[in-house]
Amino acid sequence: MSDTQTPTRSDAAEADVDARAAEGLAGLDTVENAAATPDVDQPWAELGLKSDEYATIREIIGRRPTIAELAMYSVMWSEHCSYKSSKVHFALWAENTTDEMREKLLVGIGENAGVVDIGEGWAVTFKVESHNHPSYVEPYQGAATGVGGIVRDIMSMGARPIAVMDSLRFGNLYHPDTQRVLPGVVSGVGGYGNCLGLPNIGGEVVFDDCYQGNPLVNALCVGAMRVEDIHLAKASGAGNKVILFGAKTGGDGIGGVSVLASETFSDGPTATSRRPAVQVGDPFAEKVLIECCLDLYAAHVVDGIQDLGGAGLSCATSELASNGDGGMRVELDLVPLRDASLQPHEILMSESQERMMAVVEPVRLEQFLAITDRWDVEATVIGEVTEGDNLVITWHGDVIVDVPPRSVAHDGPTYHRPLERPAYLDALVADGPDALARPGSGEEIGSQLLTMLGSANLCDRSWVTDQYDRYVMGNTALSQPDDAGVVRVDETTGLGVALATDCNSRFAKLDPYAGAQLALSEAYRNVATAGAAPLAVTDCLNFGSPEDPGVMWQFREAIRGIAEGCRELGIPVTGGNVSFYNQTGDIAIHPTPVIGVLGVMADVARRTGSGFRTDGSHVYLLGATRDELGGSEWAHVIHKHLGGAPPTVDLAAEQALGAVLVAAADAGVLESAHDLSDGGLAIALAEAVMRHGVGVTVDGLDRVGEGLDAFTALFSESVARVLVSVPAGQAGAFEALVGEVPCVRIGATGGRDLEVADQFTVSIAELQTAHRFTLPAVFDA
């Protein structure tokens, strides 16, 4: 229960304080003590700071920092929180965002999550973030708290979370450590999201040897609110109260952002050495916290709000104060604790989950506390906004922190890291796929198709996705294995959004500029394939060490590709995440710029699924096909080859194709639509027939791409292409909508086989046998 006195301790917090009172304050490193002892050795290096960064901190505050101040700067100036190696490149977002792109953008980069206007008074907020290193060390909790953290980001904008997605990447499927990591990650994603009652509507599961020591766990959440209900992270108004509410603070996650997420693993992390830096989640506590926050918003008692995730109280206090119009004073000894032995600096660094911080006007304090009491959420007033300029934190009355909050939260170091195009690229690009042996007969093409369908990156994902609840809340209109997830926002009108995340890191390895644009174009296409008009972008940029000039060149090229690509497509980047140091020793992951695209549709009842549904429908291929096999799934699976140039980017073609798909969905003339990406037309056809058990006869393969043989027409990965089926009675109406987009009729649905005339026939049963059992054979063995 919360006390209404101000400032106050909860009963539990009072007990915590009493338990520690006997320890006394001897040896406490206060600001006064720091000023009087300038030459004390401090553990700045152990906390992840560089010598010049430590010197800068001393210069900013005019003395040596206290241990509590040092802790705050160390976590907030970490790569994970400060973006010190990446933010110099963020100007590319602003340079490439036009006024027209900003029209629907209500909140952009810099807040907890971006917000876009989707019409009819509704706004949606969405964001994707990484929890990579924690998920390798402790797979279940690392993944679970990754979901919990991104959900709280969405909550803090004033929205109700309505769906989650996950983009996962692991090492070799058959490696013993993959068999340790993947089940825990999947269980963590599903366990936390399922307990929250949030549908998991899509994502990716990718395997590649480059992720063996550094799996990627990127979590996305989307939330909905009325436009007028947007909340921001700021502490304004002298005298307003600062309230910490939610779970108690424990010792989990200390140093997570500075020690775990902002350095490389020298030889691969070990569970025993790294687990204390991994947070521990409680999804049931977070579910209650969600409902409590929504009640607080509805009562209009919150002036500013911030979730506590990476860097914990250090982040929440400094960011709220920095974004406000004054200072802040916090009594740290009032913080409710799970562990009474925690020292002040540990309390500031703790990343315990399911916590929020609110700024509340005094006249609304009683109402705020009444709502938290009703939800049985512990809430404690720990401070107030002041007229001063500094963030001041005390411990039993002694000042242990007195710093300019902006210097902690926003004005950290900025590095102009050297950039250099990696020397390996010339040889890699020169080693194209032309010399690879291609199948010599239709029968061999069919055999290779079956091999690819059972491969790690193309096999059925049901073993993973069946652990997620896709339909809880009753508003999911599409989910795995369709191309995009679709969720209803307004139950009255059917207004909804579609989301897709994509990235082919092999393409980004060959050309990070083109690879980033190819990820953007695929996610854009997947959203349009569902029938939604693409509206906005979030990204999660996963790279190796920024101290490697080659990695920084990859990063800069990817940023440039996304920024310029978004400008051409006319959709803004709303925010996202940068994750560096994804490497073990000198071995970095492939550059992996995961792109999430959000689209809007007036009525989700008009969404388009990916599989053939009825016999007798016409099957069309939209888009141009070229001989493009560099970095392809065929080269990867059949020949274990990576080289050459990735497919040609054509964003104008993507935009034109997207417009056709949205118009066709609105007109109700499409039975199905499925994008062509990994594995090309052959895989798209196989997936389309397996989806609902309806076969297809392809008799127009000779019309797919001028001068292409059957193999290339089937396995090329040219972009801006979609496979659609159209009821026979709607063929004329559909063809009238196509306009200048290349369109060829290649066959008709029917039967129970995938038949490619003059090449091969494979039954749906054979396709399903090859496709379904790869993951169960590994993880259920």
Side-chain angles (χ1 to χ4, degrees):
M1 296 293 289
S2 300
D3 196 320
T4 57
Q5 299 299 310
T6 309
T8 186
R9 301 182 179 93
S10 68
D11 293 341
E14 190 74 55
D16 289 338
V17 171
D18 291 342
R20 289 177 291 165
E23 297 176 9
L25 298 176
L28 181 69
D29 194 15
T30 65
V31 168
E32 182 181 8
N33 181 57
T37 57
D39 299 326
V40 170
D41 287 336
Q42 294 192 280
W44 49 267
E46 290 89 331
L47 291 173
L49 290 165
K50 309 297 184 186
S51 60
D52 57 336
E53 294 172 346
Y54 177 66
T56 299
I57 294 167
R58 294 186 66 128
E59 182 179 347
I60 289 171
I61 61 179
R63 54 176 167 77
R64 76 161 177 86
T66 67
I67 187 62
E69 291 169 335
L70 189 65
M72 291 187 71
Y73 278 106
S74 74
V75 291
M76 291 303 292
W77 283 17
S78 66
E79 190 71 62
H80 184 82
C81 289
S82 73
Y83 291 175
K84 56 191 175 186
S85 298
S86 57
K87 61 188 175 185
V88 296
H89 302 293
F90 290 170
L92 287 167
W93 303 135
E95 292 170 10
N96 286 279
T97 303
T98 65
D99 289 341
E100 185 179 5
M101 292 163 67
R102 292 188 180 95
E103 286 180 2
K104 297 290 187 180
L105 188 57
L106 301 177
V107 177
I109 296 171
E111 282 289 338
N112 285 311
V115 182
V116 290
D117 188 337
I118 64 168
E120 300 182 24
W122 285 97
V124 293
T125 175
F126 74 122
K127 187 181 180 183
V128 59
E129 281 202 343
S130 63
H131 227 221
N132 300 338
H133 287 163
S135 298
Y136 186 76
V137 175
E138 190 5 90
Y140 183 93
Q141 292 295 351
T145 54
V147 174
I150 194 63
V151 168
R152 288 193 305 280
D153 276 342
I154 297 308
M155 287 164 53
S156 68
M157 300 307 298
R160 173 180 286 280
I162 58 173
V164 294
M165 301 178 76
D166 59 284
S167 180
L168 310 178
R169 283 164 173 78
F170 303 97
N172 189 295
L173 171 60
Y174 301 100
H175 192 287
D177 205 47
T178 301
Q179 295 166 41
R180 172 187 73 89
V181 173
L182 184 146
V185 166
V186 171
S187 200
V189 169
Y192 206 100
N194 293 349
C195 289
L196 288 181
L198 291 176
N200 189 314
I201 61 172
E204 308 163 87
V205 181
V206 176
F207 298 90
D208 194 288
D209 289 357
C210 75
Y211 304 112
Q212 196 60 64
N214 285 270
L216 303 184
V217 176
N218 295 177
L220 180 149
C221 184
V222 58
M225 73 199 95
R226 301 298 292 177
V227 170
E228 62 272 17
D229 290 336
I230 296 172
H231 284 70
L232 301 176
K234 62 181 178 64
S236 299
N240 284 350
K241 304 307 175 184
V242 177
I243 304 176
L244 181 64
F245 65 109
K248 286 183 170 67
T249 298
D252 51 314
I254 292 176
V257 296
S258 57
V259 178
L260 188 60
S262 299
E263 63 177 32
T264 61
F265 294 136
S266 57
D267 295 305
T270 64
T272 55
S273 66
R274 298 290 189 173
R275 272 185 180 150
V278 179
Q279 307 95 324
V280 177
D282 180 351
F284 297 105
E286 181 134 326
K287 174 60 177 173
V288 173
L289 195 58
I290 291 172
E291 301 303 329
C292 179
C293 283
L294 292 170
D295 267 6
L296 292 169
Y297 299 149
H300 304 290
V301 296
V302 174
D303 190 61
I305 192 160
Q306 172 75 40
D307 75 297
L308 275 74
L313 278 162
S314 295
C315 177
T317 55
S318 62
E319 288 196 351
L320 281 167
S322 179
N323 292 334
D325 54 14
M328 182 187 290
R329 187 176 183 90
V330 171
E331 297 184 50
L332 195 64
D333 51 289
L334 300 180
V335 172
L337 300 179
R338 294 201 312 265
D339 179 356
S341 70
L342 290 179
Q343 298 300 303
H345 68 279
E346 294 175 317
I347 297 170
L348 288 168
M349 295 174 75
S350 169
E351 296 180 10
S352 293
Q353 299 291 286
E354 292 88 39
R355 298 180 297 163
M356 303 286 285
M357 182 172 284
V359 178
V360 178
E361 295 179 11
V363 295
R364 293 177 173 152
L365 177 60
E366 185 174 353
Q367 188 179 3
F368 182 101
L369 294 174
I371 293 171
T372 56
D373 279 352
R374 185 165 69 245
W375 284 102
D376 199 23
V377 169
E378 186 165 7
T380 306
V381 177
I382 65 169
E384 67 179 27
V385 180
T386 65
E387 292 181 348
D389 297 323
N390 277 12
L391 169 62
V392 177
I393 299 177
T394 64
W395 180 255
H396 294 284
D398 288 298
V399 177
I400 60 171
V401 172
D402 189 352
V403 297
R406 188 163 186 85
S407 73
V408 179
H410 295 113
D411 293 339
T414 298
Y415 291 148
H416 294 262
R417 303 272 194 191
L419 298 87
E420 183 179 354
R421 184 177 183 271
Y424 69 77
L425 270 179
D426 289 336
L428 190 65
V429 173
D431 181 23
D434 291 347
L436 300 178
R438 302 190 178 195
S441 67
E443 182 181 358
E444 192 175 355
I445 292 174
S447 175
Q448 291 192 357
L449 169 62
L450 291 173
T451 297
M452 291 176 65
L453 276 176
S455 67
N457 287 333
L458 295 174
C459 68
D460 178 47
R461 296 308 197 238
S462 295
W463 188 91
V464 171
T465 59
D466 283 353
Q467 298 185 49
Y468 306 153
D469 192 331
R470 286 168 270 181
Y471 300 105
V472 63
M473 294 177 65
N475 284 318
T476 303
L478 282 182
S479 65
Q480 309 97 338
D482 290 306
D483 292 346
V486 175
V487 61
R488 184 185 297 105
V489 170
D490 187 341
E491 296 184 17
T492 302
T493 66
L495 177 70
V497 294
L499 287 143
T501 66
D502 286 291
C503 180
N504 186 321
S505 65
R506 295 194 305 277
F507 292 162
K509 176 79 169 181
L510 296 172
D511 184 338
Y513 177 89
Q517 291 198 336
L518 288 165
L520 172 64
S521 65
E522 184 178 353
Y524 182 100
R525 185 185 330 128
N526 280 327
V527 164
T529 297
L535 185 66
V537 168
T538 183
D539 56 51
C540 196
L541 309 177
N542 306 273
F543 288 79
S545 170
E547 298 167 43
D548 181 337
V551 168
M552 282 309 299
W553 178 84
Q554 293 173 334
F555 179 80
R556 169 73 179 189
E557 287 296 285
I559 286 259
R560 188 169 66 87
I562 297 166
E564 294 176 4
C566 284
R567 182 186 182 97
E568 186 169 348
L569 291 172
I571 56 176
V573 175
T574 63
N577 175 246
V578 176
S579 176
F580 277 133
Y581 292 103
N582 291 291
Q583 65 182 64
T584 301
D586 295 330
I587 308 301
I589 64 167
H590 294 341
T592 310
V594 172
I595 306 296
V597 171
L598 178 142
V600 62
M601 56 177 60
D603 185 356
V604 299
R606 294 187 177 276
R607 82 279 192 189
T608 308
S610 62
F612 301 147
R613 288 183 173 273
T614 60
D615 292 351
S617 293
H618 296 307
V619 177
Y620 295 88
L621 176 61
L622 299 177
T625 303
R626 296 171 287 272
D627 187 345
E628 295 183 301
L629 292 163
S632 69
E633 202 65 37
W634 172 81
H636 176 65
V637 173
I638 303 300
H639 294 285
K640 296 180 172 53
H641 178 271
L642 175 61
T648 303
V649 177
D650 193 340
L651 296 176
E654 291 287 5
Q655 201 166 28
L657 175 64
V660 168
L661 292 168
V662 172
D666 286 344
V669 299
L670 289 181
E671 178 186 75
S672 71
H674 189 17
D675 95 301
L676 272 65
S677 51
D678 297 345
L681 176 60
I683 297 300
L685 287 165
E687 291 174 343
V689 301
M690 288 189 292
R691 186 75 174 91
H692 302 292
V694 176
V696 66
T697 298
V698 176
D699 54 16
L701 202 60
D702 57 327
R703 298 191 290 275
V704 176
E706 184 176 352
L708 298 183
D709 59 20
F711 160 77
T712 307
L714 285 166
F715 291 104
S716 168
E717 294 189 9
S718 296
V719 300
R721 297 186 302 157
V722 168
L723 180 72
V724 302
S725 62
V726 178
Q730 300 286 356
F734 170 74
E735 291 175 8
L737 288 172
V738 169
E740 299 299 316
V741 173
C743 174
V744 293
R745 183 187 178 281
I746 62 170
T749 61
R752 295 297 177 265
D753 298 322
L754 166 55
E755 177 184 352
V756 179
D758 302 322
Q759 297 298 325
F760 64 86
T761 298
V762 182
S763 70
I764 293 176
E766 289 178 275
L767 295 171
Q768 290 173 333
T769 298
H771 187 56
R772 287 180 174 175
F773 299 110
T774 303
L775 295 186
V778 173
F779 297 109
D780 289 340

